[in-house]
Amino acid sequence: MKDKTQTTERVDALLAKMSIEEKVAQLNQIGGADWNNGPKPEEVIRKSGAGSVLWLNDTKRFNELQKIAIEESPSGIPILFALDVIHGYRTIFPVPLGMAASWDPNVAEKAQTVAAKEARAAGIHWTFGPMLDIARDARWGRIVEGAGEDPNLGSAMAAAQVRGFQGADEIDTEHVLACAKHFAGYGAADGGRDYDPVFLSEAQLRNVYFPPFKAAVDAGVGTFMSAYMDLNNVPASGNRWLLKDVLRDEWGFEGFVISDAFGVANLAVQGFAKDRKDATLRSLQAGQHMDMASSAYLENLAELVQDGLLSVEEIDEMVRPILETKVRMGLFEKPYVDEGLLEKVIALPEHREAARMAAQRSMVLLRNEGSLLPLSKTQKKVAVIGPLADSMTATEGSWMVFGHQPAAVTVLEGIRNKLPEAEIVYAPGPEIRRDIPHPFGEFDTIARKPVQTPEEAEAAFQTAVKAAQEADVVIAVMGETQDMAGEFASRGSLDLPGRQEELLKAVDALGKPIVLVLLGGRPLSINWAAEHVPAILEAWEPGTEGGNAVADILFGDVNPGGKLPVTFPRSGNHAPLYYARTLTHMPEDHERYLSRYWDGPTTPLYPFGYGLSYTNFEIKNLKLSASEIKVGETLTVTAEVSNTGNHAGDEVVQLYIHQKWGSDSRPLRELKGFERISIQAGETKQVSFQLGPDELRYWSTSAQGWIQDVAEFDVWVGSDSQATLHAGFEVVA
Ligand code: GLC
């Protein structure tokens, strides 16, 4: 890290000679795409410079615009080029929900390290990631972009991704500035409807939705992005409590905050601000440093200063962290990118190796009746069916960078690579597509096929059934297409779209061994399959090497060890559904409890933390270092894990607690520790966890503050959130 005072002095000197127009220009991020109907980037930059440019993915053009900023703008301040690099730039890794399913922070760190190296080589300085929104409603399309429903797992993934993107303290030329988004509470949109309002108590914010963001601050994240939606009727973009009181005054964040796209001007659209000028004033005073693409700051800030509604000092306070970031990233010394570098970087074999490893570790074995899996490699005839079996886009998943050409190894190709001698018959069956086209569809880089007619769909259906009929084993690759999850991609149902389940049933009736491979960015209510399809592998959207990783698992070269980072509900109507809820007066172990609904069970189809293996693990000998500790003290929890099967494999050992009473009602279970460990067949290993004030305190509604209660606790250690291996301890005064 460049010496702090040296940076401060340098920024002071810059500010001293900048006009108000130049200072305001640093608070502006220009929409660099040609569809963005703002002023042309060159004109704006030449006139007063620019804080940043986004929605551009063109190395040559980066250098062109940078040259204008350095040589033609009044103060020659370099530009930060920004883009959404969420799970890979050219080498695509599993979507973040998949990476979270690995329960291995090293997977996320490695993935974002590679993504940063490729993005920086392309000339991108700043990524709008990691996305840290806790999501407990699977209908919300952006659940794909985060780490799921739990703050403990989410915090571990947050810190790991910041380390991966930014590297160590210094953001060198192989790393990028990261951005913790969307601050805060976006995943709790009413009904899972993207952009809808959010109403969260301070306890829910502080105990559930904030922790991953705080973990990002503690890991040194350089920027934050405020969320679009109204949070308790105050849009995040104009929410001083969020952006100043919590983020800066409590957490000590010293970087800068950017709005989401057009978020400043949107304050008028949301009925919060009177007009663009009012939006500008209230957004800046709330602590939002940079305006993404709306140009409201550019148009109004200088006038607001002239009107005496804002002071130059307030403007300087917002410009300062932006300039400090540019100084510390060395942009003044090295503003340009070598235009030949990217091709060398993306050719590195270790990038695809890392992507394949990440995909392998992200996948979750949901069912394996009769140990159908792993399949033998001596299969003679394999039918690969389903609309996603050969879909590169469904394999790579949401949030591809602008201009990305799909290049993933599909499941079909992965199986062909694995079984070069076998006869592999591919039959997609009826296509699936959104009922309402995606509004971003215009940015697709591949032409969409014409809509299949009912006759064509029926013919495809029969062809797939016939292929299954003639095969020794059937592998069905089903789920959701790339645009069925992500932004603008919420849905009311969690069922398999289209005629996929119908095709599964038809194939199941043939009595053939069938494996279901799920691709997609959210939990799906595969109730029928969960009862009838013997083997089910959740592969999420596994990225460039996804098809090879699926084949590695299906044919036994890799033993799956992933666990669910989100609860799988039996229906979209049950959402939001999550494990860490309070007991209520009718706990689910109550003698009269049957279900919260009269029209079916409310239990999850698959619980948080669940995942199977080709081997078996036994977790035993749970021990606590003490049965009683004082407030503020720490106890150690240990247990043994044995691999009692005949395959080496990974187990994710999970620690849950329940505070049995207190100032507030507390969740019936809370994840407070986890470790993914590799264990050879027959081997036993020990795991240990700490339970201290950090794990036991919480923000209390009744106390209106952080407290650690004197109370009794349950402890469970096991392989998912329904673990039964139990012990207890007491916290005393
Ligand atoms: C989008 C998303 C945000 C993204 C930004 C820039 O609307 O909400 O996650 O980083 O705009 O593309």
Side-chain angles (χ1 to χ4, degrees):
M1 173 94 74
K2 280 190 171 40
D3 172 60
K4 211 163 156 51
T5 45
Q6 184 189 7
T7 301
T8 306
E9 282 159 12
R10 202 161 162 195
V11 167
D12 287 343
L14 282 167
L15 285 170
K17 68 180 179 62
M18 287 166 75
S19 69
I20 186 69
E21 285 73 21
E22 291 168 62
K23 292 176 179 178
V24 166
Q26 288 302 310
L27 305 180
N28 180 46
Q29 181 180 58
I30 302 171
D34 49 20
W35 44 263
N36 193 62
N37 51 8
K40 280 282 156 261
E42 293 84 342
E43 295 153 23
V44 177
I45 295 165
R46 191 167 286 118
K47 181 165 175 290
S48 343
S52 171
V53 172
L54 86 157
W55 294 327
L56 198 55
N57 184 16
D58 179 332
T59 306
K60 197 166 176 312
R61 183 127 167 79
F62 288 146
N63 281 336
E64 284 167 7
L65 294 178
Q66 193 69 292
K67 194 166 178 347
I68 295 171
I70 303 282
E71 297 182 2
E72 300 180 43
S73 80
S75 44
I77 293 172
I79 296 168
L80 274 169
F81 291 109
L83 197 64
D84 297 279
V85 180
I86 305 301
H87 56 109
Y89 176 78
R90 186 72 64 83
T91 307
I92 306 302
F93 285 79
V95 285
L97 190 61
M99 286 199 263
S102 73
W103 289 59
D104 178 357
N106 298 324
V107 163
E109 181 169 347
K110 177 68 181 167
Q112 303 306 23
T113 300
V114 170
K117 188 167 181 178
E118 293 186 355
R120 194 67 190 265
I124 293 159
H125 303 118
W126 180 17
T127 180
F128 297 133
M131 188 273 215
L132 304 178
D133 299 303
I134 292 288
R136 297 180 153 182
D137 188 328
R139 295 170 296 183
W140 188 53
R142 302 196 75 167
I143 192 170
V144 64
E145 298 170 44
E149 72 183 64
D150 183 81
N152 186 284
L153 178 61
S155 300
M157 290 297 163
Q161 292 186 78
V162 170
R163 290 193 300 269
F165 278 132
Q166 298 192 163
D169 269 354
E170 198 70 30
I171 299 177
D172 63 24
T173 55
E174 295 198 337
H175 290 88
V176 294
L177 182 62
C179 181
K181 75 181 185 183
H182 306 79
F183 197 50
Y186 184 16
D190 278 353
R193 295 181 296 275
D194 202 10
Y195 305 151
D196 259 19
V198 167
F199 297 94
L200 289 170
S201 67
E202 186 160 358
Q204 281 170 300
L205 281 166
R206 289 185 178 277
N207 294 323
V208 179
Y209 291 82
F210 280 177
F213 288 99
K214 176 67 168 59
V217 170
D218 295 345
V221 72
T223 66
F224 261 61
M225 182 189 297
S226 60
Y228 278 127
M229 83 293 141
D230 288 358
L231 171 62
N232 302 327
N233 296 325
V234 181
S237 255
N239 196 315
R240 185 190 176 86
W241 175 72
L242 267 185
L243 305 185
K244 278 202 168 171
D245 301 351
V246 173
L247 183 56
R248 299 193 96 80
D249 299 350
E250 279 185 44
W251 294 356
F253 176 65
E254 294 181 336
F256 64 92
V257 179
I258 186 166
S259 72
D260 202 336
F262 314 107
V264 174
N266 282 348
L267 293 181
V269 177
Q270 280 163 263
F272 178 74
K274 177 167 168 283
D275 53 26
R276 290 169 66 89
K277 188 171 180 180
D278 183 37
T280 298
L281 176 63
R282 294 165 74 182
S283 173
L284 188 104
Q285 289 184 326
Q288 186 141 265
H289 300 78
M290 196 177 275
D291 167 6
M292 182 189 289
S294 89
S295 300
Y297 273 20
L298 197 64
E299 292 159 11
N300 294 290
L301 279 175
E303 196 179 316
L304 285 163
V305 172
Q306 280 153 14
D307 298 351
L309 293 171
L310 277 176
S311 67
V312 175
E313 289 68 32
E314 285 177 283
I315 299 292
D316 287 357
E317 184 191 339
M318 305 310 269
V319 178
R320 182 175 293 284
I322 295 167
L323 296 182
E324 284 171 354
T325 300
K326 293 182 175 184
V327 167
R328 284 175 32 217
M329 286 182 72
L331 291 192
F332 285 84
E333 288 72 36
K334 295 182 72 177
Y336 303 108
V337 62
D338 165 0
E339 294 175 24
L341 180 59
L342 179 61
E343 289 318 309
K344 293 184 206 126
V345 168
I346 57 176
L348 294 169
E350 63 261 29
H351 288 194
R352 290 190 75 129
E353 286 157 15
R356 185 164 180 165
M357 159 86 85
Q360 292 164 351
R361 295 177 74 75
S362 70
M363 295 180 190
V364 183
L365 182 60
L366 297 177
R367 197 170 195 241
N368 192 20
E369 287 304 295
S371 299
L372 174 62
L373 293 177
L375 297 172
S376 153
K377 291 179 185 173
T378 59
Q379 303 292 341
K380 292 281 178 290
K381 192 165 183 178
V382 180
V384 179
I385 68 172
L388 305 180
D390 200 32
S391 166
M392 289 197 282
T393 54
T395 307
E396 289 184 334
S398 69
W399 275 116
M400 289 298 104
V401 297
F402 287 114
H404 175 78
Q405 290 302 325
V409 176
T410 64
V411 176
L412 173 65
E413 287 169 299
I415 294 168
R416 284 197 167 125
N417 294 341
K418 190 64 76 176
L419 305 183
E421 307 304 318
E423 184 185 353
I424 312 289
V425 179
Y426 166 55
E431 68 162 15
I432 56 173
R433 62 176 62 219
R434 285 173 51 127
D435 302 324
I436 298 166
H438 198 295
F440 296 165
E442 63 189 284
F443 309 134
D444 284 358
T445 51
I446 49 173
R448 288 196 171 261
K449 288 183 284 188
V451 178
Q452 207 173 40
T453 66
E455 296 72 25
E456 289 164 338
E458 182 53 29
F461 188 98
Q462 296 310 328
T463 304
V465 173
K466 184 167 179 295
Q469 176 68 52
E470 295 165 357
D472 303 321
V473 65
V474 183
I475 297 170
V477 187
M478 300 181 165
E480 291 189 333
T481 55
Q482 177 186 53
D483 64 358
M484 289 180 177
E487 189 171 358
F488 260 118
S490 291
R491 66 183 282 221
S493 160
L494 299 177
D495 296 343
L496 285 171
R499 298 179 60 187
Q500 297 181 100
E501 186 167 283
E502 188 190 341
L503 178 57
L504 274 180
K505 289 178 176 175
V507 170
D508 180 61
L510 303 173
K512 298 277 179 180
I514 179 167
V515 178
L516 173 61
V517 176
L518 288 172
L519 294 183
R522 60 155 51 88
L524 293 171
S525 303
I526 49 165
N527 302 307
W528 183 87
E531 294 294 319
H532 298 88
V533 176
I536 303 174
L537 179 70
E538 173 60 75
W540 312 105
E541 291 167 333
T544 303
E545 285 290 322
N548 283 330
V550 168
D552 290 338
I553 289 175
L554 295 187
F555 295 93
D557 289 336
V558 168
N559 182 1
K563 300 281 183 179
L564 295 180
V566 279
T567 301
F568 272 47
R570 296 174 186 277
S571 162
N573 303 328
H574 295 182
L577 187 69
Y578 50 94
Y579 82 94
R581 55 194 184 279
T582 54
L583 282 169
T584 78
H585 77 285
M586 175 69 77
E588 293 171 23
D589 58 4
H590 187 285
E591 58 184 15
R592 287 213 303 277
Y593 178 86
L594 297 173
S595 172
R596 293 284 186 230
Y597 302 118
W598 62 259
D599 61 350
T602 5
T603 48
L605 182 59
Y606 298 111
F608 175 79
Y610 171 82
L612 301 176
S613 169
Y614 292 154
T615 190
N616 297 304
F617 294 102
E618 187 194 353
I619 299 174
K620 57 186 186 297
N621 292 343
L622 171 57
K623 288 193 176 61
L624 306 186
S625 60
S627 57
E628 187 180 283
I629 54 171
K630 288 190 172 52
V631 169
E633 290 181 340
T634 297
L635 71 80
T636 302
V637 180
T638 58
E640 287 178 355
V641 194
S642 302
N643 179 339
T644 56
N646 46 29
H647 280 265
D650 286 9
E651 177 60 292
V652 179
V653 186
Q654 301 158 45
L655 167 74
Y656 294 88
I657 67 168
H658 169 230
Q659 180 175 323
K660 297 168 84 166
W661 66 79
S663 310
D664 292 19
S665 303
R666 301 298 300 134
L668 52 85
R669 293 214 180 185
E670 284 179 281
L671 179 73
K672 290 295 179 183
F674 62 89
E675 185 181 346
R676 179 168 178 157
I677 48 177
S678 301
I679 310 180
Q680 294 303 316
E683 190 187 13
T684 296
K685 282 189 176 174
Q686 180 162 357
V687 289
S688 81
F689 304 98
Q690 304 296 309
L691 285 178
D694 286 349
E695 289 74 30
L696 301 178
R697 72 192 192 119
Y698 65 96
W699 197 89
S700 155
T701 300
S702 49
Q704 285 295 298
W706 290 96
I707 61 170
Q708 182 186 350
D709 283 322
V710 168
E712 280 181 26
F713 288 77
D714 292 308
V715 178
W716 295 273
V717 172
S719 55
D720 65 41
S721 57
Q722 297 181 344
T724 53
L725 184 59
H726 175 270
F729 69 93
E730 188 171 4
V731 174
V732 297

